Amino acid sequence: MVLSSLLAPTLLGALAVAADSAAVRGGTVVNPDGTRIEKGVVVIQDGRISAVGGPDTPIPGDAVVHEAEGRVVFPALVLAHTQIGLDITNENVPVAPFVNVYDAIEPNSAEYEDCLRTGIGTVHVIQGNNTVIGGLSRIIRPLGDMIDAMTVRADAGLKVSISPRSGFNRMTQLAELRRAFAELAAHVDAVAEKRFEEEKKKKDEKVLVLPDEAARQGLALVTIDDLDARWRTLWRVSKGEVPLFVHCDRAMDVMRGIDWLKEMKLLEKTTFVVGSEAFKAVEALKAAGRPLVLSGILVHRETDPVTGEIKETFVPKVFADAGVPFVLQPNGFGFSADGMLWYQAARCVREGVARDVAVKAITQSAADAIGMGGELGSLAAGKWGNVAILSGDPLDQATFVDRMLIEGRLAYERATDRRLKELTTGQESPPAAAAKTEAPAAPAEAPAPAPAGDAKPDESKPAGDGSGEQN
Amino acid sequence: MSAASIAVAALLALARTGSETAPAVAPDLAAWQGGELVALQAAEVHLGDGTVHRPGIVLLQDGKVVAAGQGLPLPAGGRVIDCGEAVITPGLVDAACQLGTTSLFGSAEQASEVIPHLDTADAIDFFSRDFIELAAGGVTTVYVTGEASAVISARGAAVKTAGPLAERRLAAKPCVKVTLGPESSGRGVFNRQPSRFGGGASFANRRPTTRMGAAWVFRKAFHDTIAWRDSGRPSNDGLEPAAMAALGEVLAGATALRMQVREAMDFDTTARLADEFGLKYSIEYGTEAAQRLDLLARRAVPVIFGPVRASDSNFESFESAAPALETPKLLAEKGIPFCLTASDGSGDGGLARQAGLAIRFGLDRARALRAVTVDAAAICGLDQRVGRLAPGLDADLVVWNGAPFDDASKPVLVLIHGRPVVDPQGRFRKENS
């Protein structure tokens, strides 16, 4: 009796996840902190990693097993800040917290395909930096053709820029930013007062209060639906419900950004997105202790106005030396050059950044920056089953992504990647390979054209027959 | 015994691990005299011809390599530099560099479409920052190729990227560059006459405007040259005798011919034109070479391939030609002589990166090294001067802090004519510019 009642739920549980069990076996499991397990096993159940261990780790009998002998098994990379998939990256209105990348993401963008090809399993799509207050962002899987199915987390953040957008100077930028929040406060006050009066009317109370007091007392009654749609996102931001991605192009913007965020009590909700010159504010950023996304331009160049001498600074090294974790972005987005996250991390190692810091900058630190450090960024029990099976060492330029698992399911396979094959060989590889390969032989075997004098309509061939492709 | 042993190794280790400890001994590069015998020791020495010594030694004196190999006697009274775990290769050679002249883009020669008598060397700015970037990336010799906006452009020039001015220019085999693609016509718009004369480019002030037109300019120039050579008839197209004399050298084989080709169809046009006048030629860029491998192999046409960039479209050329990423591997398999170029790229878009990409897409490492050293030198006729670490050749070499061309390695010491031009912290040394 006791035994059966214990067993039953266990068995049911096993059946329920049967379709979603997977395991990666036989490869070298490598984590961003440098730990390695030879011939390791990663078990994924119901999209989550249930076990990571040595060759003896038990694999559920119903799991889809991915053999990774001779391969490196690595957490899928996280692209923490990108505009890929958006055709236009900034709204023309300086303060536009009411827009949402949800309405603009093109699921069929070639860049998402490139994500899988280059080991990226999670993408945070957020609007560009040329704004005062931007729209809502979204974390997606770069897989699928419907945005809802691709979504990992909606409303993942909101872009705010401390650096002037085009046409603004720093003073107008800050003034605009403050005005937006002041207008929000005024709007919320008005709504609160109105709600207070409504409530009073409902209860048929006849107590007179001053408008300020009515607004204060009414605030508790305000729900998001009472607000004008334009202000709803910003209200959620002000209550700390939506994380901020605050762009500071230069070091001078970092100081002002931190001051403003402290004033708004939003510093704890902030990820900084900084330009290459912001390394000069390394101490302030360190003290702020918030996640930090670096520009894709890793080398900052400064020209001495008098001597013309150019001083170069490798930005990630400055942060690494100060012990500040950072996140790397690709420079642009491409398949063959520094548009690749791996390459950016390798550049850091080249310039003397410790390898684990460089690797975390494209995995764990990137996951932390989008608030998913507990779900993504390394291979550990409880985290999501986003696994890149690599042909070799993650930072070796000869390494390719062999397979990608997203939440335990096979999302990419190099062996069947037609586009990569075309880019590599320059040859088209049509699905119906057999039909095409025979085509070139046809002209050689075709009979010589009849002499002109003997010309007559060729009735043996149907019109427009596609010149021998049917042979 | 006054052998001064310099611990470059400590600095190399610093560059490799990012350790915070300061090197015990700073390398005394300032005191490095040209005349003394210097020995460099390293864990790996690549001679450039495919030979690798582990460990290896390179002996240098008076700007030349004295010997390179294993177990060589260290100089008594000379300087010994221990590079520790580092890797030494010959200095890199770019056979189709577009850097180092004053503003190539838009500086096209206006007087004529046929300018083989002009010399790119006259437009090179030896003080250009381009050369500093190239040297820091391990490139020690560049062949600055003719500008692409003339159909038959100027002769290129081979130069060192650093060192005393008197030693910068090298005697490469004279070589004239031809551009049949749209640059010679497309760039015409940057070549417009002053606005008071109407501004735009047209057949009146600029031709050709099509590929057909470019091919015609080529043909006409060689026809005129042959007529002038055989019967002294002046060109009715305004070709200067000097230009025809230069083309006569091309016909005689004394001056090499290089065809800038990106799209597959231009490989065919090039072959036809060459046959018409019995010319030998090499291909510059060769973006779509993978589609014409048999043609190139049959004719043993050398290809200066590259660069491979992130973007498929090429702003400069107005062409959409995209390279097959494994082209270097395919060229090697077909036995086609080739080297790699970064064109106008340096730093992360430079020649070392091109070699790294070739390795990524299947070219073996040893061949990739050759493709940016000795094979590039050979295509420019410079292989008796640079490209290998062999006795009598220039002491141009690069010390890498890891496997050459790896994404995680970089040059930490660069020597040209036996003198350090980039120090172990990757800084360019001012006395060389």
Side-chain angles (χ1 to χ4, degrees), chain A residues 299 301 309-310 312 317 321 334-340 343 346-347 349-354 395-400 419-420 422-427, chain B residues 14-18 20 129 133 290-291 308-310 312 323-327 330 348 353 355-357 359-361 365 401 405-410 430:
Chain A
V299 178
R301 288 191 176 81
E309 199 178 330
I310 297 174
E312 293 187 346
K317 181 79 164 69
D321 287 349
F335 177 57
S336 55
D338 55 352
M340 278 180 71
Y343 182 66
R347 284 173 76 191
V349 175
R350 183 202 299 169
E351 301 297 335
V353 174
L395 298 192
D396 184 339
Q397 89 255 55
T399 293
F400 281 88
R419 183 156 181 267
L420 176 60
E422 283 179 26
L423 287 169
T424 307
T425 62
Q427 308 292 320
Chain B
L14 176 76
R16 172 173 268 194
T17 63
E20 290 304 299
R129 174 152 182 101
E133 306 254 348
Q291 295 183 37
V308 174
R309 297 257 195 266
D312 286 351
L325 296 168
E326 65 176 7
T327 303
L330 297 172
D348 281 293
R353 176 76 180 142
L357 282 171
I359 292 167
R360 175 166 174 79
F361 291 100
R365 283 177 175 273
N401 66 349
F405 318 130
D406 263 13
D407 288 345
S409 331
K410 67 170 182 177
K430 271 198 188 141

Side-chain angles (χ1 to χ4, degrees), chain A residues 90-268:
Chain A
N90 289 288
E91 180 49 58
N92 198 25
V93 182
V95 176
F98 38 79
V99 301
N100 194 331
V101 295
Y102 183 40
D103 302 319
I105 288 174
E106 163 60 281
N108 295 314
S109 300
E111 287 106 329
Y112 293 146
E113 201 181 292
D114 275 344
C115 282
L116 294 175
R117 196 171 279 130
T118 57
I120 296 167
T122 311
V123 180
H124 179 215
V125 184
I126 185 166
Q127 78 150 78
N129 296 326
N130 190 12
T131 188
V132 176
I133 299 176
L136 285 166
S137 68
R138 182 164 284 243
I139 300 171
I140 62 166
R141 317 168 174 87
L143 178 68
D145 48 15
M146 294 298 283
I147 181 62
D148 290 312
M150 294 166 78
T151 298
V152 169
R153 182 179 286 175
D155 304 353
L158 186 92
K159 175 66 66 66
V160 166
S161 182
I162 303 297
S163 312
R165 77 188 288 269
S166 49
F168 279 40
N169 66 32
R170 284 189 161 72
M171 293 180 289
T172 50
Q173 181 82 9
L174 263 293
E176 196 73 9
L177 188 56
R178 289 177 197 285
R179 183 166 64 189
F181 278 87
E183 281 183 23
L184 166 73
H187 175 67
V188 172
D189 275 359
V191 171
E193 192 185 331
K194 192 168 141 243
R195 288 287 294 114
F196 177 78
E197 297 295 343
E198 283 169 5
E199 211 61 22
K200 210 168 58 172
K201 205 173 277 177
K202 241 185 261 171
K203 292 179 192 162
D204 211 21
E205 287 176 7
K206 292 269 187 302
V207 188
L208 281 171
V209 294
L210 291 167
D212 279 3
E213 180 59 17
R216 197 185 62 77
Q217 290 190 28
L219 192 58
L221 302 169
V222 177
T223 67
I224 194 155
D225 296 333
D226 298 327
L227 298 181
D228 184 303
R230 279 191 309 152
W231 295 114
R232 286 178 188 172
T233 300
L234 219 49
W235 195 55
R236 289 168 65 200
V237 168
S238 69
K239 289 167 64 146
E241 291 172 10
V242 178
L244 285 183
F245 285 77
V246 177
H247 172 239
C248 301
D249 186 42
R250 299 192 49 195
M252 64 189 293
D253 302 323
V254 171
M255 312 301 185
R256 293 186 180 92
I258 290 173
D259 284 350
W260 177 78
L261 287 162
K262 280 183 176 164
E263 183 185 315
M264 301 299 293
K265 299 190 170 51
L266 289 173
L267 184 59
E268 297 311 308

Side-chain angles (χ1 to χ4, degrees), chain B residues 315-327:
Chain B
F315 167 69
E316 278 172 52
S317 67
F318 313 103
E319 284 178 296
S320 60
L325 296 168
E326 65 176 7
T327 303

